[in-house]
Amino acid sequence: MIQCKVKLDIFEGPLDLLLYLVKKSEVDIYHIPIVEITDQYLKYLDLMKTLDLEIAGEFLWMAANLIYLKSKMLLPIEQQEEEEEDEEFDPHSELIRQLIEYKKFKEAADGLKKMEEARSLYFPREATPEMDSHDFAADLGEVSIFDLLNAFSKILEKVQIRENLNKLFEEEVSVEGKILMIEEMLSSRFSFVLEDFFSGNVSRMELVATFLAVLELIRLKRIRVTQDNNFGNIFVQRAVDIKQLEARG
């Protein structure tokens, strides 16, 4: 079994996941295919459970809501119309309303963040006290936790290992060992494609341990991840501490 449980502070909420799936599926937010989106949402939830990540209650509540909506969509048209007439509250419309409002909120927040970053270029910063490299942000940038989960899902599919996941948890796999492996690789080269860290793994449990090691290194701010474009390759780099930044001028 895995010897380390990773606790993340980088999780986003269920509405973030839904917006991510809508964008990934390239569908109109006003006409979300509930059946398809529900299946994808549950797939991500299963992946988070497989990785033994802590899942907030609102993720499970959203899953129950989506399953209910999916069950309604699978009913005959006549029965759907009858239920809509009986219900004063339309959960489907409410979900779309929440998504649209949340999307507007996120876009506004992103706009304010960009304005703040642009403004900071025109004002000198105060001297920064000396800190060790663990105090510096190795933020995800444009890469979300769901981008990482999507990439890991593709890696699992490529490996095509026919093993029973439940039995695999009897294996002894060290996340700490995978952390050392990743840091050793990054000591010889500044940047790697995420998939490079999984090339030598031979079991699903090793893949899981390697992915948890990546998440733990992000949490510890020892690495940062970037993406070349939406849903493109994810690159992993060593976090740059302030002394290196000052040396670059």
Side-chain angles (χ1 to χ4, degrees), residues 45-239:
L45 221 57
D46 285 341
L47 189 55
M48 285 189 269
K49 289 176 183 176
T50 297
L51 292 164
D52 202 21
L53 301 178
E54 292 188 350
I55 303 173
E58 54 263 32
F59 276 94
L60 303 177
W61 179 89
M62 182 63 75
N65 191 32
L66 288 171
I67 291 169
Y68 169 70
L69 291 174
K70 176 183 174 180
S71 67
K72 285 186 62 177
M73 298 298 293
L74 295 175
L75 292 173
I77 299 297
E78 299 80 11
Q79 194 169 342
Q80 288 184 36
E81 292 174 350
E82 288 177 8
E83 289 206 1
E84 286 175 4
E85 289 177 2
D86 293 337
E87 287 185 349
E88 295 181 5
F89 174 76
D90 182 4
H92 189 188
S93 299
E94 176 61 17
L95 176 62
I96 292 174
R97 184 193 66 77
Q98 288 180 14
L99 274 176
I100 292 170
E101 286 189 1
Y102 189 69
K103 183 172 182 286
K104 290 178 180 177
F105 170 79
K106 284 203 72 172
E107 289 172 348
D110 289 341
L112 289 172
K113 183 180 178 182
K114 288 176 182 176
M115 287 173 61
E116 182 181 359
E117 289 172 352
R119 188 169 178 268
S120 67
L121 297 176
Y122 297 96
F123 295 91
R125 293 183 178 179
E126 296 180 4
T128 307
E130 187 172 335
M131 306 175 184
D132 65 42
S133 60
H134 285 217
D135 292 322
F136 298 100
D139 60 280
L140 294 176
E142 297 302 316
V143 182
S144 72
I145 183 65
F146 307 122
D147 287 306
L148 290 168
L149 288 171
N150 181 51
F152 181 61
S153 177
K154 290 178 180 177
I155 290 167
L156 284 177
E157 289 172 4
K158 285 181 182 179
V159 173
Q160 295 179 343
I161 297 173
R162 298 178 182 176
E163 296 186 31
N164 186 324
L165 262 181
N166 294 326
K167 291 181 180 178
L168 276 172
F169 277 94
E170 297 173 5
E171 283 187 38
E172 289 290 334
V173 180
S174 169
V175 174
E176 290 87 349
K178 296 299 181 182
I179 287 174
L180 292 174
M181 177 205 76
I182 292 169
E183 291 192 314
E184 185 176 346
M185 289 177 68
L186 286 169
S187 67
S188 62
R189 204 167 85 198
F190 181 72
S191 177
F192 284 87
V193 177
L194 180 65
E195 290 188 14
D196 292 341
F197 298 123
F198 298 86
S199 58
N201 295 316
V202 295
S203 74
R204 238 178 228 267
M205 187 52 59
E206 281 193 281
L207 294 175
V208 169
T210 302
F211 186 71
L212 289 176
V214 170
L215 296 183
E216 180 68 357
L217 284 168
I218 291 171
R219 188 187 71 81
L220 294 172
K221 301 178 182 178
R222 279 146 65 175
I223 62 173
R224 66 187 301 268
V225 292
T226 57
Q227 199 168 27
D228 50 6
N229 53 62
N230 285 335
F231 313 112
N233 287 327
I234 292 177
F235 296 92
V236 180
Q237 302 171 337
R238 285 179 282 125

